Amino acid sequence: MNFRRGQHREDPEINLIPFIDVLLVILIFLMVTTTYSKFTELQITLPTAEAEKAHERPNEINVTVDAKGNYTVNNVPVSFQNVAGLAESLKSAAKDAKSPVVIINADQFAMHQMVINVMEAARLAGYDKLTFAAQTGTAK
């Protein structure tokens, strides 16, 4: 009970300073603990080919490796004794060409070592242009 008459009551007011302090503390906490995800990618520009198709094909050596371990060089069967022998077969198939392209046609079930043998033979023969043939479309 308020028995005092004539005394003026003050209107209640909200003090905003503690409220702002708490909000700033929460904001600082969120800024410190937030992890920003950075995507690290290589920024590369891929080349585009706008030249006309070459009419003349370079000297090619087609080496085929089947799943049983048989080698053929330009559709001629070659018996594999060692890598040096395969390198000699590649040199004879090149017919004095300076830098032929060695195309490796390997069966999908051929052992990895057989393909490495062809690559090593090309290195021993001095041919540094290698490529692999692949089948396009869906295989059955």
Side-chain angles (χ1 to χ4, degrees), residues 1-13:
M1 290 187 163
N2 191 357
F3 294 113
R4 294 184 190 172
R5 292 184 185 217
Q7 188 177 14
H8 187 275
R9 290 181 75 174
E10 292 184 22
D11 292 330
E13 64 181 66

Side-chain angles (χ1 to χ4, degrees), residues 3-4 12 20 27 30 32-33 37-39 51-52 63 67 76 91 96 104 107 114 117 121 128 131 134:
F3 294 113
R4 294 184 190 172
I20 293 172
L27 180 68
L30 289 175
V32 170
T33 60
S37 61
K38 294 181 182 177
F39 297 102
E52 292 182 18
V63 180
V76 176
K91 285 182 184 178
D96 298 328
I104 302 173
D107 187 87
M114 291 183 242
N117 290 340
D128 57 350
T131 187

Side-chain angles (χ1 to χ4, degrees), residues 80-139:
F80 180 77
Q81 304 297 326
N82 55 16
V83 176
L86 187 57
E88 290 300 320
S89 299
L90 291 176
K91 285 182 184 178
S92 66
K95 300 177 185 170
D96 298 328
K98 290 186 179 182
S99 61
V101 177
V102 178
I103 301 173
I104 302 173
N105 299 294
D107 187 87
Q108 67 178 349
F109 297 112
M111 290 192 318
H112 185 71
Q113 182 61 46
M114 291 183 242
V115 177
I116 297 296
N117 290 340
V118 175
M119 293 171 65
E120 180 67 16
R123 185 190 66 80
L124 289 176
Y127 306 140
D128 57 350
K129 296 179 182 176
L130 292 172
T131 187
F132 294 91
Q135 180 178 343
T136 58
T138 58

Side-chain angles (χ1 to χ4, degrees), residues 33-50:
T33 60
T34 301
T35 58
Y36 299 100
S37 61
K38 294 181 182 177
F39 297 102
T40 56
E41 295 179 6
L42 293 176
Q43 298 296 325
I44 60 172
T45 304
L46 296 175
T48 58
E50 296 178 4

Side-chain angles (χ1 to χ4, degrees), residues 63-73 76-80 86 105-107 110 114 118:
V63 180
T64 306
V65 181
D66 68 357
K68 296 178 183 176
N70 300 320
Y71 295 89
T72 61
V73 176
V76 176
V78 175
S79 63
F80 180 77
L86 187 57
N105 299 294
D107 187 87
M114 291 183 242
V118 175

